[in-house]
Amino acid sequence: MGAIEVSLSDPNIVYAGTGSSKIRSNVSIGRGMYKSTDAGKSWSFIGLRNVGQIATVRVHPANPDLVYVATTGNPFIANKERGVYRSSDGGKTWKNILFVSDTCGAADLEFQPGSPNVIFASMWHGQRKPWTIISGRARVDL
């Protein structure tokens, strides 16, 4: 598992993102997002099967259906599934809301303290090659 998040407003709701959270020499590619509505007793697949590694999951503190996911992507290839995803319906549908490039994924997400309608994303240019790890920053002009 790359990331697990328990809803603050309803602790029975838990989201889990698969795959290694960061790119390193030994990585596991994820197979999407899972959700529990009974405090982890049972789990359901809720999508994002092809996003690769899921680094962070954040649930809005007042709305357990509003979920953000940071994906670093498939570490071995450039892929358009990298970035930040949002679901406003508890994982039934997902939208990529921040995409920089096919080699730059999202490594972390944080809500602004006291203002959860503002979320900060940390982006990471990274790929895992057989002979090296490419790790650096991406320039983002907003």
Side-chain angles (χ1 to χ4, degrees), residues 7-86:
S7 168
L8 292 175
S9 60
D10 183 352
N12 288 311
I13 298 177
V14 184
Y15 292 91
T18 59
S20 304
S21 69
K22 305 295 185 271
I23 297 172
R24 57 183 188 266
S25 59
N26 183 8
V27 298
S28 297
I29 298 174
R31 294 290 178 244
M33 286 290 298
Y34 290 81
K35 179 180 180 181
S36 174
T37 57
D38 57 11
K41 292 178 186 149
S42 63
W43 294 89
S44 299
F45 175 74
I46 59 170
L48 300 181
R49 180 162 313 276
N50 297 317
V51 299
Q53 295 174 259
I54 296 174
T56 305
V57 177
R58 294 288 181 242
V59 179
H60 190 279
N63 180 357
D65 288 332
L66 185 54
V67 186
Y68 296 88
V69 174
T71 65
T72 53
N74 182 328
F76 300 102
I77 60 170
N79 56 305
K80 64 181 182 198
E81 290 82 14
R82 296 175 186 239
V84 178
Y85 288 81
R86 176 182 62 210

Side-chain angles (χ1 to χ4, degrees), residues 60-130:
H60 190 279
N63 180 357
D65 288 332
L66 185 54
V67 186
Y68 296 88
V69 174
T71 65
T72 53
N74 182 328
F76 300 102
I77 60 170
N79 56 305
K80 64 181 182 198
E81 290 82 14
R82 296 175 186 239
V84 178
Y85 288 81
R86 176 182 62 210
S87 175
S88 58
D89 56 13
K92 292 176 187 161
T93 61
W94 295 94
K95 180 179 181 181
N96 187 319
I97 60 168
L98 180 60
F99 174 79
V100 175
S101 77
D102 61 3
T103 60
C104 182
D108 198 8
L109 298 169
E110 294 295 337
F111 289 111
Q112 179 174 314
S115 183
N117 293 326
V118 177
I119 190 163
F120 296 94
S122 173
M123 305 304 285
W124 181 22
H125 171 75
Q127 285 187 279
R128 177 70 176 103
K129 301 290 185 181

